[in-house]
Amino acid sequence: MSSMRNAVQRRNHKERAQPLEREKWGVLEKHKDYSLRAKDYNEKKKRLKILRQKAAERNPDEFYFGMMSSKTHKGGQKIADRGNKALSTDAVKLLKTQDAGYLKTMAQKTRKARERLEQEFSLGQGHGIEVLKKSLNPGSREHIVFVESKTAQKKYSINGLKGPLKQELDREPTGKRIRMDAALGSEEEDCEANIANASKQKSSKQATEAQQVALRADRALRRQYRRGQEARRNRLEALKSREKDILAAEQELELQRARMNNSIGGINKAGIKWKVRERKR
């Protein structure tokens, strides 16, 4: 009979869920959860009761010789030995030498990154014809040249380039082209004024739409340029701060090594200042 009773399909009893108005409090607490919480609460209550009893029965004249060597913090925590073995002076000097080498390497790496970023940032901040080392679009092979005005943009040609950039363009295939853009600032207003004047004149609808598309593309390019410069500025500030911290740590480490070698003075544990006396010549 028992085997037949187990073979029959039985109803699955589901647990009650948390009501919708109390859903923010999480899953509904079941009896097993309450049992664990009550057990933990009772254990803590017993422990506190024992501590109160010990504090009430404490003897103020109690003394042990171990009290002479033990120390406690202001909060009452006992200061004990953690069992760590102290390193020898030679081992500490070796470790500090390795730390100094690591700091010098990181300082040199950070300085090179800062100088490279400063060079890129300064090229984009100047006036006149400026050629950035990197294009605003990483996937393109175009060189972006900034000029003073629209007139200079029309008169400008590849023959006006000098130095390494011209040599680089000579080596590239003839299919590469150069995009000209006016400088940031008042040039955008000049473009809008030119478009407004052109719209007043007798021009076709297609020409006006082409000019508007060109203006939107120019605005998008300028916005992308500003965002790139802002990102470079933030990264440059972060590199400067990192380099400053590394140099400060390196200087402090050199000072510690000098104190360990007794080559400079300092302050001992008793608070007494001392210095190394050099031999009189």
Side-chain angles (χ1 to χ4, degrees):
M1 291 298 292
S2 61
S3 60
M4 292 295 295
R5 184 169 62 251
N6 295 332
V8 177
Q9 181 67 25
R10 297 181 181 179
R11 177 184 177 185
N12 296 327
H13 296 276
K14 298 180 180 180
E15 296 182 349
R16 185 166 63 92
Q18 183 76 282
L20 294 177
E21 60 273 10
R22 293 181 55 84
E23 191 175 4
K24 63 180 180 179
W25 303 113
V27 183
L28 182 65
E29 185 182 34
K30 304 301 186 295
H31 179 73
K32 58 182 180 180
D33 304 325
Y34 165 76
S35 300
L36 294 175
R37 186 166 56 87
K39 182 179 179 181
D40 181 67
Y41 172 76
N42 292 327
E43 287 180 356
K44 291 179 180 178
K45 191 163 78 170
K46 291 179 182 178
R47 198 175 300 119
L48 290 175
K49 183 178 179 181
I50 295 173
L51 291 176
R52 291 193 189 97
Q53 185 177 1
K54 287 184 177 181
E57 298 176 355
R58 175 178 174 272
N59 182 12
D61 299 330
E62 187 177 3
F63 174 76
Y64 298 100
F65 285 101
M67 297 179 181
M68 302 293 294
S69 58
S70 62
K71 296 181 181 179
T72 56
H73 288 291
K74 293 182 179 179
Q77 296 87 0
K78 183 178 179 181
I79 303 176
D81 185 14
R82 296 183 179 180
N84 299 329
K85 295 182 179 179
L87 297 176
S88 62
T89 306
D90 296 336
V92 174
K93 287 182 181 180
L94 179 60
L95 292 176
K96 288 186 179 295
T97 303
Q98 295 177 356
D99 294 343
Y102 172 76
L103 289 176
K104 287 181 181 179
T105 303
M106 295 304 298
Q108 184 179 5
K109 183 179 179 181
T110 307
R111 183 175 64 254
K112 288 183 179 180
R114 176 183 57 80
E115 292 175 354
R116 182 170 58 254
L117 192 60
E118 281 180 349
Q119 188 176 4
E120 294 179 4
F121 183 74
S122 60
L123 286 175
Q125 287 293 103
H127 299 284
I129 300 175
E130 299 291 342
V131 182
L132 290 178
K133 284 189 173 181
K134 294 184 178 179
S135 174
L136 295 179
N137 188 5
S140 66
R141 291 283 296 169
E142 300 174 353
H143 296 275
I144 300 176
V145 182
F146 297 90
V147 295
E148 290 289 347
S149 61
K150 283 282 186 180
T151 307
Q153 177 183 352
K154 294 178 181 179
K155 294 181 180 180
Y156 195 77
S157 62
I158 301 179
N159 297 329
L161 295 176
K162 298 180 181 180
L165 181 59
K166 188 175 185 304
Q167 298 176 4
E168 183 179 354
L169 290 179
D170 294 339
R171 291 195 302 267
E172 290 183 351
T174 56
K176 300 294 184 292
R177 61 190 179 89
I178 296 180
R179 184 191 305 169
M180 305 296 178
D181 293 293
L184 296 175
S186 61
E187 295 301 329
E188 188 174 347
E189 299 176 359
D190 297 340
C191 294
E192 295 178 356
N194 294 334
I195 292 179
N197 295 332
S199 62
K200 293 180 181 179
Q201 298 175 358
K202 294 180 179 181
S203 58
S204 62
K205 183 177 181 181
Q206 296 179 353
T208 305
E209 292 179 355
Q211 291 177 353
Q212 292 178 356
V213 171
L215 179 60
R216 286 195 294 268
D218 186 63
R219 286 177 178 174
L221 185 62
R222 295 175 189 278
R223 190 181 303 110
Q224 187 179 7
Y225 173 76
R226 294 192 190 98
R227 290 177 179 175
Q229 288 295 94
E230 186 66 24
R232 292 190 187 96
R233 184 183 294 106
N234 296 337
R235 177 162 175 76
L236 185 60
E237 294 296 330
L239 286 176
K240 288 182 178 179
S241 177
R242 177 182 175 85
E243 185 180 8
K244 182 179 178 182
D245 295 341
I246 291 177
L247 292 178
E250 184 179 358
Q251 184 178 3
E252 181 64 24
L253 188 59
E254 290 294 338
L255 185 61
Q256 291 180 6
R257 293 175 62 192
R259 288 175 179 173
M260 292 184 67
N261 294 329
N262 293 330
S263 59
I264 62 172
I267 302 176
N268 58 14
K269 295 182 179 179
I272 301 175
K273 295 183 179 181
W274 62 278
K275 63 179 180 179
V276 177
R277 293 185 180 181
E278 297 182 358
R279 181 178 180 184
K280 294 182 180 180
R281 297 181 180 178

